[in-house]
Amino acid sequence: MTTLYLAVPCYNEQEVLPDTTKKLLAKMRSLIDCGKISPDSRIMYIDDGSKDSTWSIISELHEKYPLVAGLKLSRNRGHQNALYGGLMGAKRHADAVISIDADLQDDINAIDLMLEKFESGCDIVYGVRSKRDSDSLFKRATAEGFYKFLKFMGAEVVFNHADYRLMSKRAIDELEHFGEVNLFLRGIVPMLGFRTDSVEYERAERLAGKSKYPLKKMLSLAWEGVTSLSIKPIRFITVLGAAVFLVSIIMLIYSLISHFLGNTTLGWTSLIVSIWAIGGLQLLAIGIIGEYLGKIYLETKHRPRFIVDKFLK
Ligand code: UDP
Ligand code: MG
């Protein structure tokens, strides 16, 4: 029987924890009762260095309910790192781990279907939002723009999938081989391969408390996503440099013609040509250096070159 762990990162979530626990406990108990998951399954809260009473609530819940487990990080490291810590902590005990936010905006009834897909052989099951009715217009526009921006900048992500997903123990084991420190799980998990599927659900409002992802954090997540997955911004410089250099050749022809037609001031031709040519060459040179820098950057991540799915002996 599958041992399922729910990895729930929490940062200053004292308002939502009691309610969340009630709902998650009911879900876990019903899954255990109908024999879908083993009684060793757990709801694992990861306290991401909260400043309120989050950790003491988690400890109390753990005393009261054997199904609740807790992991406390030494300080606030951000959602992605907390999640990663949770996955690594949970995989030692679990066959499958589902990551879900503490505010239960993601429909926990999708867990059943995720489990079914896991049982039928999927290693990764993405939770994908079907609608965003509950989000404000601003949040919806910025969030959807976020996915489009990432795609444009060369980072492949699953559209409208946040970090609500099921991963098998084997997939998390492979994730551990990705040596990067700048974590953007949504971009790395698709690189793992394996059999994947997705489950649609409707996103609800936050149970209580405030969003811990204000615009500033969202922008920094987007930038982290781009710079940790793609070196396309560097390529823009190279292309720009080449373009400016091309313009300089056109300018050379244009100013030579003007020069010989005699309607220029002395010195203008050489000046204007040098400005364009030197500017273009400099940009191009920066771009080329950048290309190598990008290569070095990607190399230092020590990502695995391949991941074995099956081996027939
Ligand atoms: N979170 C975290 N560390 C942080 C910020 C957020 O662990 O530094 C957790 C938070 O407790 C929640 C999840 O990340 O479980 C998502 O945050 P939130 O619901 O505020 O984001 P939103 O849904 O508004 O994008
Ligand atoms: Mg939320």
Side-chain angles (χ1 to χ4, degrees), residues 13 101-106 129 135 139 203-207 210-213:
E13 298 284 13
D101 289 350
D103 55 4
L104 296 194
Q105 283 189 285
D106 307 304
R129 289 165 209 173
D135 283 344
K139 177 94 191 178
R203 190 161 158 93
E205 307 232 11
R206 192 171 233 286
L207 280 180
K210 276 203 297 278
S211 170
K212 312 292 180 292
Y213 258 104

Side-chain angles (χ1 to χ4, degrees), residues 8-13 16 46-50 73 76-83 100-106 129 135 139 162 186 203-204 206 210-214 217-218:
V8 191
C10 307
Y11 178 59
N12 295 344
E13 298 284 13
V16 304
I46 303 114
D47 176 20
D48 184 19
S50 298
L73 302 190
N76 182 244
R77 297 293 287 119
H79 177 221
Q80 295 289 299
N81 290 308
L83 199 54
I100 185 164
D101 289 350
D103 55 4
L104 296 194
Q105 283 189 285
D106 307 304
R129 289 165 209 173
D135 283 344
K139 177 94 191 178
R186 265 171 255 185
R203 190 161 158 93
R206 192 171 233 286
K210 276 203 297 278
S211 170
K212 312 292 180 292
Y213 258 104
K217 266 196 188 167
M218 223 158 67

